[in-house]
Every structure is written in C-alpha cells, then in structure tokens.
Amino acid sequence: MSAPRQWPDWAPRQSVRSPRRFLRRALAIALVGVLALLGLGLGGAWWATNHYGDQVTRIPDAFPTGPRPPKPEGYDGGTTFLLAGVDSRSKKPTTGTDAAAQLWTYGAQRSDTLMLVHLSADEGSASTVSIPRDSWVPIPGHGSAKINAAFSWGGPSLLVQTVEQLTGTRVDHFGIIDWHGFRALTDSVGGVAVTVHEDSYDPEQHRHLTAGTHVMNGEDALAYVRQRHGLPGGELDRIKHQQQFLRSLVGEVRGGGKLTDPRGTDRMLDAITRTVSMDDRMSNGDLRNLALGLRNLAASDASFSTAPIVRSEMIKGQYALILDRQKLRETWRAAETGHPPGTGK
C-alpha cells in the first residue's frame, strides 16, 4: 500500500494584508460525503478505503502540542471531528490532491465555516454544532479575536487549540476543504436539490435567489451557502443555509441511486479525494470502520445546531458575536455523553 500523500511544508511567516472577501462555502460536507460514499458493502468498503484513502491528502502536525482537554466524564466513546472551510486569497486549489497552492500561509487564509461533529460510538447518531466565523473568542497566544483569525495566524493546530479551549472538548480528527473543492464535490453528484423558502437578493454577489426547489450546480450552491447579505438573520441565516444544504447533499447521495452506479460512485469518490485534506492521524482503517458503521445513518439520525449567542457588538471596529460559552460547553458535553443538559448525568 502506498503511503498517504503528505502536504508540503507550510510557508514561513510573513506579513500579508487582510484578505478581501472571497466566495464562502459550507465545506463541512466533505467528511459526511466520505462517510456516506464509502458505505459500499464489506468487500467494496475494504477496496474503496484502501484505494481512495491512499489518495486523500494528509495534513501533518494538525494538532497542538502540550496538554489538551480530557474527554468528559460519561463520554460515549464516539469520535469528534472539527471540519473547516478556508477563505483564501489563492486563485488555485489549496486542499486535496488538486492543491496547487499552500494550505496555510501566515495571514493569507482564514477559516470560514466551522463545524464540530460528534459521531456516537455505535455510529447511530451524529450531532453537529456550527460555530459562526464572527464569534469573538480567546485565541491562545494572541488575545481575543474572531475565531476565523486562528487559522490565519497559526494554521490547523492553532484553530484546533482555539476550538478545544472554547468548548472544553478534545478534537479527534480535522478535515478541511476550500471553495474550489466545494464546487467540484457538488458537481460530482450531478447537483443537489435545495428548497429556497423565499425570494432574496444578495447585493454582495449581485444574485437573485427565487423561492422554490432548485437543483443547484456547484456555482449556484456556492452562492446559496455563502449568502448572508439580503437575509434577515445575516450570518445566522447563512449557517442555516449551510446545514440545509448538508442535509440535502446526504439525501442526494443516499437516496438518489449514486451508490449503486459504479461510474457515479467513482466520480464522487474521486472528487472527494481531489478536494479534501485530513489530519495524518486518520488512517485508511479509520475511514473504513466509520464507513461500515455509518451505512445506515439517516438524515433523521443527525442533529444540527448553532453555538448559543448572547449578543452582537462592535469590537475594535469589527462586527462580532459574543457566545454563551458555558451553554456551549454544556451542549457539547451532552453530545459527547448522550445525556441532555440538566439531567445530572
């Protein structure tokens, strides 16, 4: 078996102007796509995870060094993932085997979409909490800032450390994808049917979205999941769009016959390996075990929520969201133990 492809060494720290806004995306779907698409049956899963797993780009040193949070008392033995999408100045892909530019260069990329996903030990349920990019949080060694600055300043390891400090949990695996990958992944399944609930206009993208159900290609889907202007809830409505798209994508993969079409399956798996990067602690065996266990996970078994917000305010001239950190920790502890907050368990 060939060794997993390693990501090139990160570039040295350098001074770079703050990036202008690029396309935004709900990129956490990459891992869910991997888990759903690899559920091809016992023999198929063994072959697929070895064949395609070898092609997944691994990220070295994705985790912080030094002490890390312990798993909570009553931990259910499941797996916690941190999934991120990057907002990069690069016009070239930065994740997956298609990458032609660095995943991380100091100051040049910020995480855009952040999701914590916990899969129960029996793979019978999945809990996802979205953390808004504008959340104002402590970043180790840098004071407080928006959470998306953590990736900009320290790459994957500082982002993981920041989220672990915020939530009190320990992240087991890290996955990341950029907007090039999001479009390719969407197109690889032949588009995704999404129901838009009301007409809106996004003045930043200069796009109209009309109410109704639309089969969105990669470009259309990207516009949908990045929209926050022209929506009553702004950033929070954008997160709702991302979570809605994730549900629709999983439904498309599982219910649209994609898994029974060898050529279609090959295209999807190829798109995933071309677009997704994961930590180098995620072995092919880990992927295989998850795939086999999650073959019967349905959309109804997955829950989605957003980190609890106390208020919004302007800090140092920036729009920021203040989180209820205690409630966030209680919510995530419930996800990792299977006990709702306040049960005393």
Side-chain angles (χ1 to χ4, degrees):
M1 184 187 305
S2 59
R5 181 175 180 265
Q6 298 293 319
W7 195 260
D9 292 338
W10 289 340
R13 297 166 72 96
Q14 56 183 316
S15 177
V16 182
R17 291 183 301 173
S18 297
R20 60 187 176 87
R21 289 174 184 159
F22 272 80
L23 301 177
R24 310 197 189 284
R25 62 226 63 88
L27 304 167
I29 52 174
L31 176 65
V32 177
V34 171
L35 300 178
L37 292 170
L38 291 180
L40 305 176
L42 184 59
W46 274 83
W47 179 87
T49 51
N50 286 333
H51 176 76
Y52 290 103
D54 285 347
Q55 299 179 45
V56 174
T57 298
R58 302 307 211 271
I59 306 168
D61 305 318
F63 297 96
T65 58
R68 298 177 64 195
K71 292 296 185 180
E73 183 179 355
Y75 175 61
D76 69 0
T79 307
T80 294
F81 296 83
L82 177 62
L83 308 178
V86 289
D87 189 7
S88 172
R89 298 181 69 183
S90 175
K91 294 182 179 180
K92 299 177 181 179
T94 61
T95 61
T97 57
D98 275 353
Q102 294 281 23
L103 170 65
W104 174 74
T105 302
Y106 180 79
Q109 297 102 339
R110 292 189 174 217
S111 62
D112 185 67
T113 297
L114 281 178
M115 289 186 180
L116 270 176
V117 180
H118 181 73
L119 305 177
S120 62
D122 61 3
E123 285 94 17
S125 64
S127 300
T128 299
V129 174
S130 296
I131 304 175
R133 64 191 297 273
D134 293 326
S135 301
W136 193 263
V137 302
I139 298 178
H142 296 271
S144 293
K146 290 185 180 183
I147 197 168
N148 65 347
F151 186 85
S152 178
W153 292 334
S157 63
L158 184 58
L159 178 60
V160 170
Q161 186 179 13
T162 299
V163 172
E164 288 186 337
Q165 177 177 282
L166 175 67
T167 61
T169 193
R170 186 171 74 244
V171 172
D172 298 308
H173 291 293
F174 174 76
I176 192 166
I177 188 172
D178 67 9
W179 68 271
H180 297 277
F182 176 83
R183 291 193 299 188
L185 192 59
T186 303
D187 287 337
S188 74
V189 300
V192 175
V194 176
T195 299
V196 179
H197 296 295
E198 59 184 3
D199 294 349
S200 64
Y201 174 70
D202 185 342
E204 185 180 64
Q205 301 185 86
H206 307 291
R207 293 181 69 117
H208 289 276
L209 292 173
T210 58
T213 299
H214 308 273
V215 177
M216 297 184 178
N217 61 21
E219 195 69 38
D220 293 336
L222 196 56
Y224 182 69
V225 301
R226 69 172 284 246
Q227 182 187 11
R228 61 174 177 168
H229 297 279
L231 298 175
E235 174 70 13
L236 300 184
D237 280 347
R238 186 170 76 103
I239 289 175
K240 292 178 182 178
H241 282 192
Q242 294 169 359
Q243 295 176 349
Q244 178 196 15
F245 184 86
L246 174 55
R247 289 191 185 95
S248 297
L249 176 64
V250 173
E252 180 68 27
V253 170
R254 295 191 63 83
K258 301 293 190 299
L259 298 181
T260 60
D261 174 10
R263 288 180 297 178
T265 298
D266 183 72
R267 286 194 299 270
M268 287 184 286
L269 289 172
D270 182 63
I272 290 169
T273 59
R274 287 191 294 107
T275 57
V276 179
S277 296
M278 303 191 71
D279 69 89
D280 60 5
R281 297 183 187 179
M282 171 64 82
S283 68
N284 290 354
D286 290 333
L287 284 172
R288 178 171 54 246
N289 291 339
L290 285 168
L292 291 172
L294 289 171
R295 283 175 298 170
N296 298 318
L297 183 69
S300 59
D301 299 320
S303 65
F304 295 85
S305 61
T306 302
I309 297 167
V310 176
R311 65 184 182 277
S312 63
E313 62 179 73
M314 297 299 293
I315 303 177
K316 299 179 181 180
Q318 304 175 70
Y319 172 80
L321 296 173
I322 308 302
L323 303 182
D324 185 332
R325 297 179 193 171
Q326 181 61 33
K327 188 174 181 180
L328 173 58
R329 288 188 170 211
E330 291 173 355
T331 298
W332 195 248
R333 181 184 180 280
E336 291 191 316
T337 63
H339 301 310
T343 61
K345 297 181 180 180

